[in-house]
Amino acid sequence: MRWWRHRAATDAVWLLGVALASTALAVRFDAFDHFAAFIAEHEDWELDELFTGLFCTGCCGFVYAIRRVTDMVRECRARERAQEDALWLSLHDPLTRLPNRAGLEEHLKLPSPIVGGVMHIDLDGFRAVNDLHGSAAGDALLTEAAQRLREIFPNAWIGRPGGDEFVILLQDISLPVLQQQAGRVIRNLSRPVRLQGRRVEVGASIGIAAVPQHGATLREALQCAEAALLAARQEERNGLCVYQTEMREKQTARARLEQSLREAVQAEVIRPHYQPQIDLETGHVIGFEALARWWQEDGTRVSPEVFIIAAERTGLIHRLTDQLLQRACRDAMRWPPTVRLAFNLSAMQLGDPRLAQRVFRAIEAAGLPPERLEVEITESALVREADVAQATITALRERGIRVALDDFGTGYASLSQLVMFSFDVIKIDRSFIRNCLEDDRQMKIVKSILGLGQGLGIEITAEGVEKTGQADLLRSLGCHIGQGYLFGAAMPAEETERLFGQDGQKAAVA
Ligand code: C2E
Ligand code: CA
Ligand code: CA
């Protein structure tokens, strides 16, 4: 009960008590008769008029008090409602009206069932719908997904902890039934949705875990389901994984890596190393590709293939790239003025509309002429972020920065991209060079990529050149530039200067 109600009630009881007691005393001692006699005795004091006035004022005061009390009650009710609304909003997602992450936390504080199950669901392809059809379509899709889940599980606890993720907590369900139900969820969520007159299809990946098999409480099972979802996401689409112990270990290792990456970016310990790129005709170094290198404090080296993905996942990629690019531009300023710097941009960054500005800022800060910078972009990035990527590539090229298509031949939309985007350089992926001497088919692929480049007037760089025979073959086929262990692996900035003669001439390698 509210404090004011409590006080109003005690006041009323007390006052009523006082009123009853005074009335009883007045009756017992004939107070009114004495009072009337007193008034009659002192007629000239005008006490009757005075008391009539007091009586009227008292009645009006009574009405006034009742009206103010009703006002107060109304105001208090409105305040209570507002507080309830605020509490609801803090625990729910207003879009789907499902509990949010805080709501989930609250629910997990309740006693856990002895037998139960958790499904952690992630929509596949949600981001594409958001990007292609707009966030209103994304919202409609989430609402529809929530509705379908409610239809499948009218009695279960369903929440949306964030983004395109849903959590379902079920009581008294065995693991096989849980698995069966998860299959049903995937089938249901993969059914097409009509959004603004268009048919849209998404999928769902699900991680599941059970109480008591995987955790003693729903909270523990939820952590297991999260780890299982990570594994399920690695499958193409509509993946379903039941928790296994190794998954949790993987998840912990991943969280540890992300934390130490955060610290490494903070301390700026990830540095670019430089791998020479060689003019195959003259043997001169014409440029260097910057490759990020990270040694952790305990001396273990983490591959860029691992930490770049972790940086993308955690959003650290923008800061890390700024650091690397700024440092690489400064290092490049110490090379002879014709030597170029090649720099890798990650797939995710191509979705950043401010990317071109960030690159311009880095070269301006170092004073590097734009013609000396070449950015390398992989095919997958172009497929994922076609519109923004096109705008970025155009902006970079207009400024005079060269753009290279990296790992050519490993993606699936290569040819259409060559038509859609303009590139200055194609880098043939090292997997084609590896066996090009022994494998006739590989050799033919290399030859046709070179022909394609010559036809389109695009320069070709061959990656992963490890043998003299490969370099000779590439040279005879008209390939301009080679890069690989034959000419040198990536080296720290101090060592690159060794490759140039004292007079600043380009050195011949191999
Ligand atoms: P990539 O751009 O294809 O880089 C070439 C990779 O091939 C490098 O691996 C390099 O060390 C390796 N390599 C060079 N020559 C040879 C050779 O002769 N034989 C073989 N087998 N391999 C050779 P690394 O440094 O481990 O980098 C792996 C990938 O990580 C890179 O592939 C690139 O996609 C990414 N990466 C590296 N640094 C950065 C960076 O600063 N930013 C971004 N976004 N990605 C980076
Ligand atoms: Ca590259
Ligand atoms: Ca490459």
Side-chain angles (χ1 to χ4, degrees), residues 277 289-291 342-345 376-378 404-407 427 430 463 483:
Q277 295 181 325
E289 176 178 359
L291 294 164
F343 190 87
N344 293 286
L345 290 176
E376 299 191 1
I377 292 167
T378 58
L405 182 55
D406 203 357
D407 303 343
K427 298 189 78 176
R430 53 184 184 276
E463 289 185 331
Q483 180 183 347

Side-chain angles (χ1 to χ4, degrees), residues 89 105 205 277 392 480 503:
L89 267 179
E105 272 305 314
S205 295
Q277 295 181 325
T392 305
H480 314 114
D503 52 355

Side-chain angles (χ1 to χ4, degrees), residues 437-453:
L437 286 177
E438 303 82 31
D439 187 338
D440 201 37
R441 285 168 54 104
Q442 298 281 49
M443 206 261 279
K444 282 190 179 137
I445 291 178
V446 172
K447 214 168 158 177
S448 57
I449 298 178
L450 285 166
L452 191 70

Side-chain angles (χ1 to χ4, degrees), residues 257 261 270 291-294 302-317 320-321 324 343-349:
L257 177 79
L261 179 65
I270 304 178
L291 294 164
R293 293 290 176 263
W294 178 25
V302 188
S303 157
E305 269 156 334
V306 174
F307 69 75
I308 293 292
I309 292 173
E312 289 186 335
R313 210 167 44 222
T314 48
L316 286 165
I317 188 70
L320 175 62
T321 303
L324 289 167
F343 190 87
N344 293 286
L345 290 176
S346 86
M348 189 194 169
Q349 282 178 294

Side-chain angles (χ1 to χ4, degrees), residues 456-468:
L456 292 170
I458 300 177
E459 206 172 82
I460 307 278
T461 301
E463 289 185 331
V465 182
E466 295 181 356
K467 297 177 188 150
T468 326

